[in-house]
Amino acid sequence: MSITSIISAIGNNSSVYPLIVRDCGIEVPSKILLTYNQNKKESKGVAYLAARERFLDEYSTSAVWLGGIPLVSWICNKLIKRFGLNPNVNLKLFKEEKDIQGINYNINKFKNIAPDAVKDLIKIKNNKKVYERLLAAKFISSTTIPILFMGFILPKLIFASSAKKIENLRNQEAQNKNNSKKISFLQKEKFFKKEQINFTGNWVSKVANFSAQDKMAVTDGGYAVGRVATARNKNERLDLSFKMAGMMFLNFVAPKWIEKALNKLSGISLDPLMLADEEFVDELKKGRIKLPKSDSAKDLLDFVDNAKNKDTSFVKYAKKLKKIKMLENGIRDPREYVDLKILGKFRNDIELFSKSALKSDNFNMFIKKAKFAKSANIITNVVLSSFLLAYVLPKVQFAFRKLVTGSDLEPGLAPAEKIVDKK
């Protein structure tokens, strides 16, 4: 994979790749180190336990978060196919858009050029209620199972594991201090409060075709609720609420805001893969780039569905960047719903860039600078959002913790005498 391909992948804020880079590569190691340093100000023993909990928590969560949802979805797809139904049919097609797209419209339009795909549409049309129930079950399974594990089971397992470590440290402290009257720093009944380990159609059409990142956002929300619910005390509950709200914002909202701002500042919205494509650049230079007449729904789909345009750069990259889905024979997949707003913006971005490039004094230099600028935007976005997640958020969280508890220690690990309940 080329460097440009890697930059393109991590620059797609609708995919999981930026999350993997930020989460596993930057955010987690930084948080573990910051957690240790924050707690060792008052106790190296608690610092070790806090860093250990953070390590187990973050990487176990990442494994479930990034792997659990696709795995459960894959299993559910297999089960749906056992019913003779194709899980890739988009339920949004049942909302007919006159002369544009819809299940009946697509059946009639593609029956001769994509007969196998149309058979899938007909089966779904005849078994709509069953299909809706299956997709609802798929969505619930692929989000609820990871939520239960990450939000409820995993923290309890980590807490139980920490309790044993706490007992060992308590005994060690007791031996070191002998019979001192001073309250043991890790007195179990004050340090750790033991808890029982407890382990229709419209909404379906909206959630059934959620992207992996959309499902991760839903899972993250449920995971946050679970973590807050399983907190060991009030202060830990407040601390986790602050942390989880910040994480969700910085993972799913801030990167898209940053991307829009950087694109606006640079005036470059096209993917670096396109700017590195010599054939695409040559078409721009010679003014031969073929685009739909306008960003209207009819013009967009008429262009994509015209067999003469299947090899154009517009169709090629609309497919590559997952704005449309094509069958192997070059026909648009009639089972997929096309987001015409996104496709229209893509068309307009190419047209705007083409006009700017042709107006420039030096076309080749303009392309070179544009590619560099877009790549720099992507790297800046990853670095900035990672910095906010891995450094700024923990520091703000530590300040919030100090304000609420009066201590630098993890609220769930802090001894009772360190807990201050500020009302």
Side-chain angles (χ1 to χ4, degrees), residues 13 64 147 214 306 328:
N13 284 305
V64 177
I147 286 171
D214 292 332
N306 188 331
E328 292 183 3

Side-chain angles (χ1 to χ4, degrees), residues 173-190:
E173 287 285 329
Q175 289 176 5
N176 292 339
K177 294 183 179 180
N178 295 319
N179 296 319
S180 174
K181 292 182 180 181
K182 186 176 181 180
I183 298 175
S184 174
F185 174 68
L186 294 171
Q187 189 175 359
K188 185 177 180 181
E189 61 268 24
K190 290 184 178 181

